[in-house]
């Protein structure tokens, strides 16, 4: 008999005793028919066994259903809201296993239909309930859904609680692209100190690439950090080929589109010789934040400044921006005299702000800098060599 694939509610293999259930099954041994004869064994309803069973079982495994004396024609596993989880019938129709895992604090109903060689059909039902989660692990992810991003934008997930079983979490992350882009996941420490996983292509994205992330985390145990109780999905498109080249030695910024310079802007970077220096390497435009308050105390520079700043474009979590800096206009193109940001005139900032989008790379060079942007400080993934980046995956 060929294998049957059945889409049903997925749930997990849990450490609980087997539950045997059948519909209309007679006692073991021969049964008498209406004329006093013996009914053939193959005409008895199949016996169905479901794992797990009962209340308070541990979530995080797969549901398994087996049939003895017949084959499974369908299996459905549904939660209290009627949502189904997928699974597959194998072993000649005698076994079924869910593809997804049981979610904490949920009641599931398993309904299995069977048939025997003699044509006897029956339906068996079993119910089990999973224990609640002691702790729920939530996710903050970028980029947002249905956005258009620059060619350097990684997919980034930051977790509320520590992830000790990184391999289990990474297995549930399915990223697809419209053109088979080569890339890899890597585990990082976010600038906040939290666990984080990013996916980046080997090289910058090709413009027009469509990307879909399906993080099927619902029911996954992240280890000491607790359980995930929902899935996450995001889809985005890669926009124009834009690269921002920042030369702090020459105090200028050039926007390149499709490899050609569009415009060069005089700028002033971080003051040499101390904590006010800028970062170098590849930073990625994280967000266009408009007019914001910048206070030097939040980045460990004491009372150096506290002012409203226009056309603010965030490059790192540690506080490096590109922005309008009219108070520094005498230094544009002449000297680096900022507190670490890349400042430009109001007019240049207004034009530049309208041209760039989150995900655009800023390739920054300069002799006197604080060092290279770290992978977890914004989106510094591009400063990690490819082989080293791939080695950061929990799946090898």
């Amino acid at each position: 008999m060929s294998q049957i694939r059945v889409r049903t509610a997925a749930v997990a293999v849990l450490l609980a005793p087997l539950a045997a259930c059948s519909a209309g099954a007679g006692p073991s041994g021969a049964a008498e028919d209406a004329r006093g004869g013996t009914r053939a064994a193959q005409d008895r309803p199949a016996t169905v066994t479901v794992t797990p069973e009962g209340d308070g079982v541990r979530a995080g495994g797969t549901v398994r259903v087996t049939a003895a004396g017949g084959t499974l024609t369908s299996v459905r596993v549904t939660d209290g809201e009627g949502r189904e989880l997928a699974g597959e019938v194998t072993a000649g129709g005698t076994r079924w296993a869910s593809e997804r895992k049981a979610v904490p604090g949920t009641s599931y109903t398993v309904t299995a239909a069977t048939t025997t060689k003699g044509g006897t059909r029956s339906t068996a039902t079993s119910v089990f309930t999973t224990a609640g989660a002691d702790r729920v692990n939530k996710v903050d992810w970028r980029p947002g859904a249905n956005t258009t991003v620059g060619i350097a934008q990684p997919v980034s997930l930051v977790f509320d609680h520590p992830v000790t079983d990184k391999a289990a979490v990474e297995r549930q992350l399915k990223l697809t692209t419209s053109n088979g882009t080569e890339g890899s996941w890597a585990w990082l420490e976010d600038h906040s100190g939290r666990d984080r996983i990013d996916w980046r292509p080997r090289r910058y994205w090709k413009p027009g690439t469509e990307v879909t992330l399906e993080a099927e985390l619902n029911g996954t145990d992240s280890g000491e950090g607790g359980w995930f109780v929902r899935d996450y999905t995001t889809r985005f498109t890669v926009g124009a080929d834009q690269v921002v080249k920042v030369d702090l030695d020459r105090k200028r910024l050039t926007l390149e589109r499709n490899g050609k310079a569009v415009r060069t802007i005089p700028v002033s970077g971080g003051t040499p010789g101390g904590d006010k220096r800028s970062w170098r390497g590849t930073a990625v435009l994280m967000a266009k934040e408009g007019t914001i308050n910048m206070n030097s105390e939040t980045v460990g520079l004491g009372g150096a400044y506290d002012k409203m700043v226009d056309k603010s474009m965030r490059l790192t979590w540690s506080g490096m921006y590109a922005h309008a800096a009219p108070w520094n206009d005498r230094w544009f193109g002449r000297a680096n005299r900022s507190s670490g940001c890349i400042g430009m005139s109001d007019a240049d900032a207004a034009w530049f702000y309208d041209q760039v989008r989150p995900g655009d790379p800023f390739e920054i060079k300069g002799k006197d800098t604080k060092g290279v942007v770290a992978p977890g400080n914004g989106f510094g993934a591009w400063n990690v060599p490819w082989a080293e980046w791939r080695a950061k995956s929990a799946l090898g």
Side-chain angles (χ1 to χ4, degrees):
M1 181 176 178
S2 61
Q3 291 188 349
I4 306 168
R5 182 175 179 81
V6 182
R7 286 283 166 185
T8 82
V11 208
V13 170
L14 308 174
L15 299 177
L18 296 179
C21 52
S22 61
S28 60
E32 296 293 324
D33 63 17
R35 295 169 298 180
T38 301
R39 186 171 62 189
Q42 61 264 33
D43 289 338
R44 299 194 200 100
T47 299
V48 175
T49 303
V50 177
T51 305
E53 67 165 343
D55 295 330
V57 300
R58 190 177 187 276
T62 50
V63 172
R64 298 191 186 277
V65 181
T66 60
T71 57
L72 296 162
T73 56
S74 70
V75 179
R76 295 185 65 213
V77 182
T78 57
D79 64 16
E81 297 181 9
R83 292 174 296 208
E84 298 188 18
L85 300 172
E88 183 177 8
V89 174
T90 60
T94 62
R95 297 178 184 176
W96 181 94
S98 64
E99 296 173 358
R100 296 296 303 275
K101 301 172 182 178
V103 179
T106 304
S107 179
Y108 291 97
T109 299
V110 183
T111 305
T114 61
T115 187
T116 66
K117 289 183 178 180
T120 300
R121 299 176 182 273
S122 61
T123 301
T125 302
S126 179
V127 177
F128 71 93
T129 302
T130 55
D134 293 334
R135 177 184 292 180
V136 173
N137 206 341
K138 298 179 182 179
V139 180
D140 175 35
W141 77 96
R142 295 168 186 252
N146 304 316
T147 55
T148 299
V149 301
I151 59 173
Q153 177 69 54
V155 177
S156 183
L157 289 78
V158 181
F159 303 95
D160 272 6
H161 300 295
V163 178
T164 55
D165 194 346
K166 292 180 170 59
V169 171
E170 191 172 337
R171 287 190 191 98
Q172 300 306 118
L173 307 179
K174 300 178 181 180
L175 188 139
T176 57
T177 68
S178 59
N179 53 17
T181 301
E182 180 184 7
S184 176
W185 291 104
W187 286 91
L188 314 170
E189 181 180 328
D190 186 65
H191 189 68
S192 65
R194 294 180 293 172
D195 283 332
R196 167 176 156 186
I197 188 170
D198 284 10
W199 195 100
R200 53 151 278 208
R202 182 170 186 171
R203 300 176 182 86
Y204 290 157
W205 296 103
K206 291 182 180 180
T209 302
E210 296 179 355
V211 186
T212 300
L213 169 67
E214 295 176 286
E216 297 182 339
L217 292 170
N218 199 358
T220 300
D221 183 359
S222 63
E224 296 179 6
W227 294 88
F228 296 98
V229 295
R230 60 163 292 189
D231 294 335
Y232 300 84
T233 300
T234 187
R235 297 178 178 85
F236 62 92
T237 302
V238 180
D241 179 358
Q242 292 194 148
V243 179
V244 181
K245 301 285 185 72
V246 181
D247 188 335
L248 295 176
D249 294 331
R250 301 179 68 181
K251 294 83 179 174
R252 69 182 190 182
L253 172 156
T254 301
L255 174 64
E256 294 185 357
R257 188 173 295 138
N258 299 319
K260 296 182 179 180
V262 177
R263 182 169 171 178
T264 296
I265 294 172
V267 298
S268 181
T271 303
D275 291 340
K276 293 184 178 182
R277 292 175 294 175
S278 299
W279 294 102
R280 70 175 184 276
T282 300
V284 176
L285 179 56
M286 300 178 67
K288 295 164 68 173
E289 298 181 4
T291 301
I292 62 173
N293 176 256
M294 291 191 181
N295 188 320
S296 56
E297 292 183 354
T298 64
V299 292
L301 294 178
Y305 58 86
D306 183 3
K307 61 182 66 180
M308 301 303 293
V309 179
D310 295 329
K311 306 300 180 183
S312 297
M313 296 161 273
R314 181 182 283 276
L315 299 177
T316 70
W317 284 127
S318 62
M320 183 176 176
Y321 285 79
H323 60 75
W327 57 86
N328 226 15
D329 59 355
R330 61 174 175 157
W331 301 117
F332 298 147
R334 297 182 179 88
N336 292 319
R337 289 292 184 272
S338 81
S339 294
C341 294
I342 300 167
M344 61 197 82
S345 71
D346 281 337
D348 285 338
W351 176 85
F352 184 65
Y353 191 90
D354 288 341
Q355 302 300 311
V356 295
R357 61 165 48 99
D360 284 346
F362 280 57
E363 298 177 353
I364 306 166
K365 66 179 182 179
K367 294 179 181 178
D368 196 353
T369 62
K370 287 189 285 191
V372 175
V373 177
N377 187 10
F379 300 133
W382 300 99
N383 300 311
V384 180
W386 177 243
E388 183 179 336
W389 180 262
R390 291 187 62 189
K392 293 179 179 293
S393 165
L395 302 180

